[in-house]
Each structure stands twice: as structure tokens, then as C-alpha cells.
Amino acid sequence: MISNFLQTPIDYLKGVGPNRADLLKKELGIITFQDFIHLFPNRYIDRTKYYKINELQQSNADVQIIGKITHLKMVEQTKGKRLVATYKDETGSMELVWFRGHKWVKESLKLNVTYVIFGKTNWFNGVFSMAHPEMELLEEHEQNLRSAMQPIYPSTEKLSNSGITNRVINKLMQQLFIESKNKFAETLSPEILNRLKLLPKNRALFNVHFPESQELLAKAIYRLKMEELFYIQLQLIRKNLIHKSKIKGYPFDEIGTHFNTFYKQQLPFELTDAQKRVIKEIRNDLGSKAQMNRLLQGDVGSGKTIVALMAMLIALDNGFQTCLMAPTEILSVQHYNSLVEMCSKLNISISLLTGSSNTSQRKEIHQNLENGTLDILIGTHALLEDKVKFKNLGLAIIDEQHRFGVEQRSKLWHKNEFPPHVLVMTATPIPRTLAMSVYGDLDLSIIDELPPGRKEIKTVHRYDSNRLKVFKFIRDEIEKGKQIYIVYPLIQESETMDYKDLMDGYESIEREFPKPKYQISIVHGKMKPADKEFEMNRFIKGETQIMVATTVIEVGVNVPNASVMIVESAERFGLSQLHQLRGRVGRGADQSYCILMTSHKLSADAKARISTMVRTSDGFEIAEVDLKLRGPGDMMGKQQSGVLNLKIADLIKDSDILKIARSLAWEILKDDPALKKPENASIRSAFEELVRYKNIWNYIS
Ligand code: ADP
Ligand code: MG
């Protein structure tokens, strides 16, 4: 089949026309034949089974029933009229209801003639009803062959209101198969089909729309899922390979004085195996002639900072400058302090640039960057300002990637003629399957091991009514010399109200923990940066025992003496946020605690989040639950959800297929990067078509 056929606008399919085409486009995004043929059924129902009215169950499911309309009446309601029919079979009676299209229904329906109706039943006050049933005269019904696996297509209210019912879609699909003569070009190579025992493309397409048997349907679905995931992986991996071959980077082949001195003499602790492995991966990237583009995932507290430092030392040893960008001022300051301390014995110049750096500080930084005397620059978004010009930026490290937009990331690249190597660090564990699909074009390093000696943080759920006991617990911990975080939600839309909650909470804590015995810090987003820093520093230095804060402290803050994290209104936080917050404690040698406070009213999702937190502290496990609760689109944010808009595969349920698809794509591209070998011809042409018509890069950074 020539590919142009599939690019025919859907308007040209017999039975569609401009109005329907418009609806299909608006409601389902269907523009071409190609789109339509890839409109896959959500599920299949058995149309060879007929129910008796007395067999109906209260759970509403799709059923078909043979019976007769005995009576038709109009019922007036405050909200409008509805047309109600009494529908009977030999076992009982039920109602059919129409809220719209009354005229047409009244004119076309016949009383006391046998129909087959199909639709979802509702049960109310002892009566079953079906709204807007699909109806066919029994005679007609018997002429149309019914399948035990009738596809049910995705639909919208607008579509069914406009008469584009499931049956209509089904008919149109038949029409398309007739017009195409079911000759769809094969998109996978014979070798793959053979090895994985996959159905050919046209067989699979036919069976997904018109199943010949359960077995063939299952095979069809498997084949189409494999194909979908394979081409996503092929694009991602290809992009990665092209990147590596085309985008040159400065080769850092020296492992010199700074790195060696630090590694041999100044390491503050022994590195974990995971840290060593990741540093090796980074060294390999930096030593190659391609630009590094690596994502470093590691749970909170897994020790990413030292990895970043060692990567920076390699850059310095090769005569380049480096920068480390963090999402908040507090975090930048903390990075600055810990790097200055760790590098105190090395001859390195480090500066901090944030929104609150003053003019003379900025001037000095700008100068030293340009003349090359400044080695490491740490800071916030301020690093992206136009005046910041490096003499030779060789490595850019970005901490907590999810806080930065894609454009911001690429801005750093344009500081130089050669792009610097880029290391993005995140403490938000992304389930592997999702990472493979969304970040498949980045290289991935994972620190999957915490430094030794960490005690598991004890996590409990407490209701607001138990507050007094919680206060007593806080008092006891402070007695032991420990520090406490109390975090309030701050969600933008209701900021004023949240702000009030925070202030009320602060006041009640002040009453409960009076000065001068107790000192309390408060940090929130409405404070001036300098005030925030001042309060934060009091807590870091141990001058205050309690830190009342909003989620501004979520990321990266490190106060090892803090042993208790109390999260107020924990039901309002997302799982990854709760996990981040909990990661603020458990950084010292002593037992730490996380107390999740909630009201008694909890939604099912909130309960699931809280119980997950209580059950496990494994960031990857938490991320998996998060993915199940929220779905991949929400989890990754808007920009990336496009690629996850899969037609048939499901990233969670089909992770096994994804793994096979990914290794297959790797194998093929390794052997034949340009897809030029004759045996890959079908893959190449399918791939080119995909890139031509559906450029998934619109969605990906
Ligand atoms: P994160 O990955 O969350 O950025 P950090 O780099 O801030 O974690 O490290 C958390 C804490 O663990 C720091 O106090 C750091 O000094 C310490 N740490 C990191 N690696 C090790 C290690 N291998 N052994 C002992 N402590 C470590
Ligand atoms: Mg960190």
C-alpha cells in the first residue's frame, strides 16, 4: 500500500464528509486515514450474549437485551423533558430513556415490535433503565453477524450526541478496510517478526478492529504495542546516537591534580559502590569526544553532591570552568558552603551568584568569569542572565532538573561556541519504564544505594486530634538536643488561605513552645531572600530548635541534627513531595521520624499516598505508586506528556514489552545506525514516515 493513501484526509472516507470529519478531528484528533486506523478499541464486549431483564445486575455494564417497547411517554422535569419507553421481555420490564432527539425517536420507533437494544444499564429505585440505547430490529440484527469480541472505541459525549456512535465508527472502519483492501505496509523487519513471532501488520490491524478469535486478538494487540514502543525507542536512541556522533564536546582526557589529590587525600568519607560506578560513567563520557548529556538519578541523601564535585574537578583539571545551578537560593547557598568546605585544601576559586548578590559582587564575578580566574560558579537562575559570560565553560551541572524548564536548560548551552558537558541531577526517582520513554535520549546514571549507617526514618500517620501527643513528642526530642521541621502546604491557587494556615500554625506553635526556652524559625515564599537566608541560617547553626516552613525547604536542605519532620495537612501533598520532605531528616546518625498529620476525612488516593509513605522509604517504589495514582502525564508535567500519549501501549502495564522493544531498538541501531541495510528497509521507511508526519520531538526537550 502506498503511504500516501494513509495520509488521505478523513473527509474523503465514504460516510464521513466535512461535518463528521470536523467532529472526529476536534474530539479524537483524527485527521487522516492513518489516524483513524490507529484509533484502537478501549475494550471488547461479547455481542453474542443476550441478557434477560431479570438477570440484570446493579453494577452498570454493557448488555444487550431482546424485547419490545410497549409504551412511550414524555416526562416533564425542571431540567427539561425526557422521553421514557417501557421495554419488556418475558422476564420483566425496564425503562429506556432519551434526553435529546425526541422527535426522531418518536417517529422511528415502533411499539410492540421485537428489538435488540444495547447499552449501559442504570439501576435506580428498583427499576433498571438504559439511556440512549443502540437499537436494532431483531430482523436486521440477525442479518448482521455479531462477534463475541465487538470493539468499543473511545468516544466523547459530543460524538455520541451527534450520532457518531460506536456502531457508526465500526461501519466507517469497515469502509476503510474495504477501500484499503487491507494492504497496509509492513513496518517491522521479517527478522523481528520471526524472532518475536509477531503477526504481520495487516493481520494485526484487521484483528484489532475485527477480531477473528480471542487468540488472534491477543496477538494483534501484542504486535501493535510492540511496534508503538519500538518506534518510540528507536527515535529516542537514534537521537542519542546522533547527538553523540555530531555534537562534539571538549574531551577531558586529563585526570589531574585536583581530582587525584581530592580522591586520594581529602575524601570526607568512603564512596559507596554506586557513587564510584556513577563517577566512572561520568569520567567515560567526559573523556570521549562527544558532549555528555547525562541524567543522574539518586534518592534524597544518596550523595549526589560529591559526585557533582568530582565531575567538576575533572573539568578544572582540563583547564575549564564549571557551574552548578540550583533551583532555590537556599539550596545554592548550601551547595556553595559545602563545596567551599570540601575544596578548602584545593587551590580553587568558587563564587556564589544569586538574586541577592549585590552590584559590586556581580561585577567582580562577571570579570573573573571572563578573565578565567573564577573556576566554579554556583547559583540560581541568575546564572542564566546575559551578563554572565564564561571564559570557557566546560561542564554545567543542574540540580533538581524538574524545577527548570527546557528552554532554561538550553540557554546555558549557548554561553559558549562548543556546548559544555551537561549533568542533570534529580532526586525525584522516575520509574525506569518512564525514564526510558521520556529520557531515553539522555544517558542515565542511577545511585541506588544510600551511604552506610543510615537508620530507616520511622514514619507514622497521626490525625489532627492527636496533636497534643505530637507536641509532647517534639518536646522530648528537643530535650535530647534535636531539631524539628514543621511544614505547611502552600499551593498557589489558594495561597492566601494557605498563608493564613501557616501563620495560625506558627502562632499556636509559639504558644506551645514559648521563648526564651524555645526558639523558632519561619521560612516561606513571601519573605525576602535575605530574611529567608537569615532564618534558615539560625536553624542550620542550631540557634533555633523548630523550623516552621512551607515547601520551600523541600529540596536539598541539609541539617543533619534535625530528626523530626512533621507535615501538616499531609493529605494535600503529592507523594513525591512527601518523599522529598521526609528526606530532609535522617541525615545524621540518630533515629529520625516523619509524622504525617491529616484530618479524618481522607480521599482514597490520599489514603493510598499516606499508607505508601508509612510502608516504604524506597524512592523508586514510591515513584511507581505515584505513577499508578497519577498517570504518566501528570507525573512528568505538561511538556513531556505528549510522548506518553500512547495509542495502544500502557507504560505501566506493558513495561515488559517496553524492555524488549528498547533492547531491540538498541540492537538494530548499533548494527545499522542509519538503517541502511536492506533487511531494515521496512523499518527505515516506517521510521521516515513517522518522523515526517508525527515529529515526536515537538514534545521532548
Ligand atoms: P543528595 O543526593 O540528596 O544531594 P547529598 O549529596 O546532599 O545527597 O548527601 C547527603 C549526605 O550524605 C551529606 O551529608 C553527605 O556528606 C553524606 N554522604 C554522601 N555520600 C556519602 C558516603 N559515601 N558516605 C557517607 N556519607 C555520605
Ligand atoms: Mg542534593
Side-chain angles (χ1 to χ4, degrees):
M1 169 97 338
I2 44 166
S3 66
N4 281 346
F5 172 79
L6 283 177
Q7 297 311 327
T8 314
I10 191 71
D11 315 41
Y12 294 96
L13 185 65
K14 198 176 155 214
V16 177
N19 284 344
R20 282 184 166 178
D22 203 43
L23 275 165
L24 287 171
K25 182 177 172 186
K26 283 200 183 112
E27 298 296 303
L28 296 175
I30 293 169
I31 297 166
T32 60
F33 287 4
Q34 160 102 3
D35 298 331
F36 191 58
I37 207 121
H38 288 103
L39 174 71
F40 294 123
N42 285 332
R43 62 205 162 90
Y44 297 81
I45 48 153
D46 187 348
R47 291 292 299 258
T48 59
K49 174 149 179 61
Y50 301 89
Y51 284 79
K52 299 288 180 208
I53 291 176
N54 71 355
E55 290 173 338
L56 294 178
Q57 304 285 321
Q58 284 175 28
S59 60
N60 65 339
D62 288 303
V63 294
Q64 60 184 354
I65 305 166
I66 301 172
K68 290 176 183 173
I69 295 176
T70 58
H71 188 74
L72 205 55
K73 68 177 174 199
M74 198 61 102
V75 179
E76 299 271 354
Q77 287 169 296
T78 38
K79 281 187 212 152
K81 293 180 199 170
R82 73 199 147 109
L83 185 63
V84 178
T86 308
Y87 189 73
K88 287 188 176 166
D89 69 4
E90 68 276 15
T91 70
S93 137
M94 63 183 288
E95 288 182 346
L96 310 182
V97 185
W98 291 268
F99 300 98
R100 301 166 299 271
H102 298 158
K103 185 161 173 277
W104 180 82
V105 176
K106 272 202 270 188
E107 279 166 11
S108 54
L109 284 189
K110 299 176 185 133
L111 294 188
N112 298 311
V113 174
T114 311
Y115 279 99
V116 177
I117 61 165
F118 171 75
K120 268 196 189 2
T121 54
N122 289 308
W123 188 84
F124 185 68
N125 270 352
V127 181
F128 281 100
S129 67
M130 190 183 286
H132 293 252
E134 265 184 38
M135 302 192 66
E136 242 177 342
L137 289 169
L138 182 60
E139 276 171 62
E140 282 173 18
H141 183 82
E142 280 168 346
Q143 284 160 14
N144 296 331
L145 202 63
R146 291 296 156 173
S147 150
M149 292 147 289
Q150 157 122 9
I152 301 293
Y153 288 95
S155 182
T156 67
E157 207 173 307
K158 255 210 173 122
L159 281 178
S160 45
N161 283 352
S162 318
I164 306 186
T165 58
N166 197 61
R167 194 161 49 156
V168 169
I169 300 259
N170 205 273
K171 284 231 170 91
L172 294 174
M173 199 63 82
Q174 278 178 33
Q175 182 61 30
L176 182 54
F177 272 81
I178 292 168
E179 289 186 22
S180 69
K181 303 188 185 68
N182 193 16
K183 283 188 187 148
F184 300 104
E186 181 53 62
T187 48
L188 295 173
S189 65
E191 205 269 330
I192 294 180
L193 293 179
N194 240 329
R195 178 145 49 120
L196 299 179
K197 301 199 170 49
L198 300 177
L199 284 189
K201 175 89 175 193
N202 47 15
R203 199 84 204 278
L205 279 177
F206 183 80
N207 269 280
V208 85
H209 293 296
F210 310 101
E212 295 170 82
S213 70
Q214 286 285 2
E215 197 198 341
L216 281 170
L217 174 59
K219 282 190 165 171
I221 292 173
Y222 185 80
R223 137 96 213 204
L224 294 167
K225 284 178 173 177
M226 184 68 79
E227 175 180 345
E228 181 168 44
L229 295 171
F230 172 76
Y231 279 102
I232 289 176
Q233 291 306 317
L234 201 71
Q235 294 190 63
L236 289 167
I237 294 169
R238 190 128 189 282
K239 190 182 177 206
N240 178 301
L241 292 177
I242 289 174
H243 185 101
K244 284 196 177 134
S245 66
K246 286 230 180 93
I247 309 213
K248 298 223 166 32
Y250 307 107
F252 293 174
D253 24 27
E254 292 272 317
I255 298 298
T257 337
H258 290 318
F259 185 92
N260 285 329
T261 315
F262 184 79
Y263 192 75
K264 290 186 186 131
Q265 294 164 21
Q266 291 160 16
L267 270 184
F269 34 68
E270 182 163 356
L271 297 176
T272 62
D273 288 342
Q275 284 169 322
K276 284 183 199 160
R277 186 186 67 235
V278 167
I279 289 170
K280 205 181 261 170
E281 286 164 356
I282 293 171
R283 269 174 70 165
N284 280 342
D285 279 6
L286 295 176
S288 80
K289 293 191 171 62
Q291 184 224 13
M292 174 170 79
N293 210 359
R294 190 169 276 280
L295 176 69
L296 171 57
Q297 277 195 53
D299 214 339
V300 252
S302 61
K304 294 184 291 297
T305 316
I306 191 131
V307 172
L309 171 62
M310 300 193 67
M312 293 204 229
L313 294 180
I314 297 177
L316 299 188
D317 281 339
N318 286 272
F320 287 90
Q321 295 170 305
T322 79
C323 68
L324 170 58
M325 188 159 76
T328 63
E329 171 131 16
I330 292 174
L331 200 50
S332 307
V333 171
Q334 203 152 69
H335 273 316
Y336 175 76
N337 290 338
S338 65
L339 290 190
V340 165
E341 193 190 318
M342 283 198 275
C343 298
S344 59
K345 293 198 188 116
L346 300 171
N347 184 19
I348 293 175
S349 100
I350 307 178
S351 285
L352 174 70
L353 178 69
T354 69
S356 39
S357 307
N358 64 33
T359 321
S360 68
Q361 288 168 327
R362 276 167 197 263
K363 220 171 176 181
E364 195 186 332
I365 288 174
H366 294 159
Q367 266 173 12
N368 292 342
L369 269 185
E370 286 191 59
N371 67 27
T373 48
L374 183 56
D375 298 314
I376 300 179
L377 181 61
I378 295 167
T380 55
H381 293 78
L383 262 59
L384 300 170
E385 286 163 11
D386 289 336
K387 284 199 175 146
V388 179
K389 293 195 189 87
F390 292 84
K391 179 168 182 236
N392 56 359
L393 179 64
L395 168 68
I397 299 182
I398 300 170
D399 197 10
E400 302 304 346
Q401 142 279 336
H402 60 296
R403 296 291 169 108
F404 286 108
V406 171
E407 300 117 63
Q408 290 169 331
R409 213 197 294 176
S410 60
K411 232 178 153 181
L412 265 180
W413 289 36
H414 298 304
K415 298 263 160 192
N416 241 16
E417 43 187 298
F418 249 6
H421 298 288
V422 175
L423 179 67
V424 177
M425 305 196 291
T426 177
T428 311
I430 302 159
R432 237 180 196 289
T433 50
L434 200 55
M436 270 189 224
S437 311
V438 181
Y439 295 120
D441 59 324
L442 296 183
D443 292 304
L444 192 61
S445 285
I446 299 181
I447 305 186
D448 50 6
E449 177 186 4
L450 293 181
R454 294 274 166 83
K455 284 209 175 75
E456 179 109 347
I457 301 163
K458 281 196 181 134
T459 303
V460 294
H461 173 202
R462 292 285 178 266
Y463 291 109
D464 293 339
S465 45
N466 278 329
R467 190 168 300 275
L468 288 180
K469 279 195 187 147
V470 173
F471 281 152
K472 171 161 189 327
F473 180 73
I474 296 179
R475 221 168 271 124
D476 292 348
E477 283 292 302
I478 293 177
E479 213 52 51
K480 290 188 217 154
K482 294 285 151 192
Q483 289 167 286
I484 319 288
Y485 291 104
I486 305 179
V487 176
Y488 286 81
L490 192 85
I491 297 159
Q492 249 153 19
E493 300 95 71
S494 54
E495 208 178 302
T496 356
M497 228 189 79
D498 288 335
Y499 189 66
K500 187 174 175 304
D501 285 353
L502 171 74
M503 289 332 253
D504 288 353
Y506 178 66
E507 277 164 25
S508 76
I509 290 157
E510 259 191 329
R511 255 177 275 127
E512 200 66 37
F513 299 93
K515 283 177 194 156
K517 182 164 183 209
Y518 298 100
Q519 297 292 330
I520 306 175
S521 289
I522 180 164
V523 172
H524 58 78
K526 286 191 175 176
M527 288 165 67
K528 288 205 190 88
D531 296 341
K532 264 195 252 181
E533 197 184 329
F534 176 80
E535 288 287 313
M536 199 65 224
N537 275 331
R538 290 210 302 151
F539 189 68
I540 291 171
K541 285 189 218 142
E543 294 168 10
T544 59
Q545 299 100 332
I546 301 177
M547 160 65 74
V548 175
T550 58
T551 43
V552 289
I553 59 140
E554 180 188 330
V555 202
V557 175
N558 190 17
V559 180
N561 190 47
S563 66
V564 183
M565 166 61 65
I566 296 174
V567 184
E568 293 284 348
S569 305
E571 68 269 36
R572 291 181 56 197
F573 290 84
L575 257 180
S576 70
Q577 246 183 338
L578 289 174
H579 181 62
Q580 291 291 324
L581 286 171
R582 177 167 59 186
R584 298 306 107 220
V585 295
R587 307 194 140 229
D590 295 310
Q591 179 63 54
S592 292
Y593 305 87
C594 174
I595 305 177
L596 304 171
M597 306 288 301
T598 73
S599 68
H600 278 275
K601 270 194 220 149
L602 292 179
S603 70
D605 274 12
K607 270 185 202 150
R609 290 197 295 271
I610 305 275
S611 67
T612 302
M613 288 296 295
V614 171
R615 187 184 72 240
T616 179
S617 56
D618 178 336
F620 283 93
E621 192 181 335
I622 290 172
E624 295 283 350
V625 176
D626 203 19
L627 180 62
K628 277 179 194 146
L629 290 178
R630 289 203 287 157
D634 275 356
M635 193 159 170
M636 303 313 301
K638 284 227 166 52
Q639 337 143 325
Q640 275 131 353
S641 60
V643 71
L644 305 171
N645 203 352
L646 301 177
K647 291 204 158 61
I648 191 164
D650 176 320
L651 288 178
I652 304 165
K653 292 185 193 132
D654 300 323
S655 57
D656 289 344
I657 305 182
L658 175 62
K659 276 175 209 150
I660 299 173
R662 182 168 174 85
S663 65
L664 208 57
W666 258 119
E667 200 181 301
I668 288 171
L669 286 174
K670 243 187 222 159
D671 173 57
D672 184 14
L675 297 172
K676 281 199 173 124
K677 293 194 174 171
E679 62 265 33
N680 292 326
S682 50
I683 295 177
R684 182 192 165 100
S685 66
F687 182 75
E688 282 173 351
E689 183 142 327
L690 207 75
V691 174
R692 187 157 358 119
Y693 293 107
K694 283 254 147 80
N695 189 351
I696 72 166
W697 304 123
N698 295 336
Y699 303 116
I700 301 188
S701 54

